[in-house]
C-alpha cells in the first residue's frame, strides 16, 4: 500500500529530540515525529498531593498535563481554559501519559515531591499522545539526573526508558506511526507504549466502526515493538551524547579555572 508520504508500512517518521529547550524546567525536550512536534517539560514541586498525606502514602507522585496549542492544528483550536473545562480527549491523554511514566518511576526514590510533566503540542499531524510519551520519557530522565546532581535522590527514580507509537489498519494493511491523513482513513487505531526491555506498558486499540483479525493485531504489535525499539535506541544515543557534552564542558570549565 502506497503511503501518502512514501514510507514503508513498518517505517516510522523521522524522529528528533531537542533537549533543554525550556531553561526553567528541570528537564525539557522538544520531540518531533515527522510533522508532529510536542514540547515536554518536567518540573518538580516539593509537595505531594493531599490524598497521599491523608492516606499516609510515602514517596512522591508523578502526574501529567496535555494540551494542544491553539495554532497546532490547521484551524485554530480553542484553549480549554477559554471553554472553561478540559475536553474529554485531553483528559484521557494526560492520564495515559501519567500512567505510562509512573510504570517506570520508583515513587519512593522520587522522595516527597511531585513531578509534573507538561506536554504541549506545537504541531499536530497524528500521534501526538505517543510523541508526548516518547518525549516525556527523555524529559523525565533529564529531570532525574538533576535530582541526583542536586543530591535530592541517592539513586535515579527512573528505572527504564519508555517510548510509544501508533499503529493502525488502513486499506486492510497494518501501518506504523500514522500521520493525520492516515489516522483519518484508518479503520483500526492502536497506541502502544513499551519499555526498553520490550515489555508493554499499555496497549490501546479499537476498531472505528470496523473489526480486526488476530493476524492484523499480531502485525500491529510486531510493527509497534520494532518501532519502539528504534525510538528507545535514539533516546539512548541522544542521552549519551548529552552526557558526553556535559562532561566535556565541565572539563573545559575546570581547565579554564586552572589556567
Ligand atoms: N486533531 C486535530 N484537532 C483535535 C484533535 C485531533 O486536528 O482537536 C488531529 C491531530 O492532527 C491529531 C490527529 O487528529 O494528531 C489524531 O488525533 P487523535 O485524537 O487520534 O490523537 P493523537 O493521534 O494525536 O494521539
Amino acid at each position: 500500500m502506497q503511503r501518502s508520504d512514501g514510507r514503508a508500512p513498518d517505517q516510522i517518521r523521522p524522529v528528533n529530540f531537542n533537549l533543554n529547550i525550556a531553561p526553567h524546567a528541570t528537564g525539557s525536550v522538544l520531540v518531533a515525529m515527522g510533522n508532529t512536534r510536542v514540547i515536554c517539560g518536567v518540573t518538580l514541586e516539593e509537595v505531594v498531593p493531599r490524598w497521599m498525606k491523608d492516606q499516609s502514602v510515602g514517596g512522591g507522585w508523578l502526574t501529567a498535563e496535555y494540551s494542544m496549542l491553539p495554532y497546532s492544528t490547521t484551524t485554530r483550536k480553542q484553549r480549554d481554559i477559554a471553554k472553561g473545562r478540559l475536553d474529554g480527549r485531553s483528559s484521557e491523554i494526560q492520564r495515559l501519559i501519567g500512567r505510562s511514566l509512573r510504570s517506570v518511576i520508583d515513587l519512593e526514590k522520587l522522595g516527597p515531591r511531585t513531578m509534573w510533566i507538561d506536554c504541549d503540542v506545537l504541531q499536530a499531524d497524528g500521534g501526538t499522545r505517543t510523541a508526548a510519551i516518547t518525549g516525556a520519557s527523555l524529559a523525565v530522565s533529564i529531570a532525574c539526573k538533576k535530582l541526583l546532581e542536586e543530591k535530592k535522590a541517592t539513586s535515579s527514580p527512573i528505572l527504564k526508558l519508555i517510548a510509544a507509537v501508533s499503529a493502525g489498519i488502513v486499506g486492510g494493511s497494518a501501518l506504523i506511526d500514522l500521520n493525520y491523513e492516515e489516522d483519518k482513513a484508518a479503520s483500526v487505531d492502536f497506541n502502544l507504549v513499551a519499555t526498553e526491555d520490550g515489555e508493554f506498558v499499555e496497549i490501546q486499540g479499537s476498531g472505528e466502526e470496523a473489526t480486526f483479525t488476530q493476524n492484523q493485531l499480531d502485525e500491529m504489535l510486531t510493527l509497534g515493538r520494532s518501532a519502539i525499539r528504534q525510538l528507545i535506541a535514539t533516546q539512548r544515543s541522544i542521552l549519551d551524547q548529552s552526557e558526553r557534552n556535559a562532561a566535556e564542558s565541565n572539563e573545559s570549565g575546570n581547565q579554564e579555572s586552572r589556567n
Side-chain angles (χ1 to χ4, degrees):
M1 204 206 114
Q2 187 63 34
R3 300 185 73 169
S4 60
D5 51 12
R7 281 183 289 149
D10 62 350
Q11 192 180 352
I12 56 173
R13 293 175 286 182
V15 56
N16 190 54
F17 298 103
N18 213 329
L19 308 191
N20 305 316
I21 49 129
H24 294 309
T26 313
S28 62
V29 171
L30 170 61
V31 54
M33 292 282 294
N35 291 328
T36 286
R37 295 196 294 153
V38 184
I39 303 166
C40 306
V42 172
T43 38
L44 291 158
E45 270 188 330
E46 298 296 312
V47 287
V48 292
R50 173 137 191 194
W51 65 264
M52 288 183 75
K53 280 192 217 153
D54 290 350
Q55 295 173 31
S56 306
V57 177
W61 189 241
L62 179 151
T63 190
E65 291 196 353
Y66 164 98
S67 82
M68 294 174 85
L69 288 164
Y71 45 82
S72 63
T73 47
T74 45
T75 51
R76 185 175 192 276
K77 187 172 165 67
Q78 204 183 12
R79 290 182 197 271
D80 283 337
I81 189 79
K83 287 184 285 185
R85 62 181 164 79
L86 186 66
D87 75 46
R89 175 179 172 274
S90 302
S91 138
E92 177 190 319
I93 293 178
Q94 64 191 33
R95 293 185 64 205
L96 168 68
I97 300 170
R99 268 197 315 276
S100 298
L101 269 302
R102 279 196 299 276
S103 75
V104 286
I105 281 281
D106 184 327
L107 292 172
E108 279 299 327
K109 287 186 182 165
L110 181 60
R113 51 181 64 89
T114 299
M115 183 173 269
W116 286 90
I117 307 174
D118 288 290
C119 298
D120 290 282
V121 179
L122 192 59
Q123 193 176 350
D125 185 25
T128 61
R129 76 193 68 194
T130 50
I133 293 167
T134 304
S137 169
L138 266 194
V140 167
S141 295
I142 297 169
C144 286
K145 199 164 166 278
K146 289 239 176 83
L147 267 180
L148 279 180
E149 283 165 9
E150 291 169 5
K151 304 209 178 342
K152 289 182 175 164
T154 48
S155 58
S156 180
I158 187 163
L159 309 171
K160 309 167 186 179
L161 289 172
I162 55 168
V165 74
S166 72
I169 304 291
V170 183
S173 310
L175 300 181
I176 200 71
D177 190 23
L178 277 55
N179 63 27
Y180 178 58
E181 282 300 308
E182 294 171 331
D183 188 276
K184 260 194 327 193
S187 59
V188 178
D189 226 339
F190 262 70
N191 290 296
L192 308 158
V193 188
T195 66
E196 57 188 316
D197 40 20
E199 289 190 359
F200 289 112
V201 176
E202 186 144 342
I203 300 175
Q204 301 185 326
S206 43
E208 316 240 338
E209 297 170 25
T211 56
F212 53 96
T213 63
Q214 176 78 48
N215 271 350
Q216 288 175 323
L217 170 64
D218 293 344
E219 258 188 281
M220 286 185 287
L221 294 179
T222 306
L223 293 183
R225 281 170 78 99
S226 148
I228 288 173
R229 235 189 340 265
Q230 288 173 50
L231 289 170
I232 292 182
T234 310
Q235 287 172 331
R236 270 278 160 235
S237 76
I238 296 277
L239 273 183
D240 291 348
Q241 184 60 48
S242 125
E243 290 203 4
R244 278 197 297 275
N245 293 348
E248 273 169 27
S249 73
N250 263 349
E251 184 49 35
S252 65
N254 287 345
Q255 226 146 35
E256 264 166 39
S257 64
R258 279 199 294 271
N259 290 341

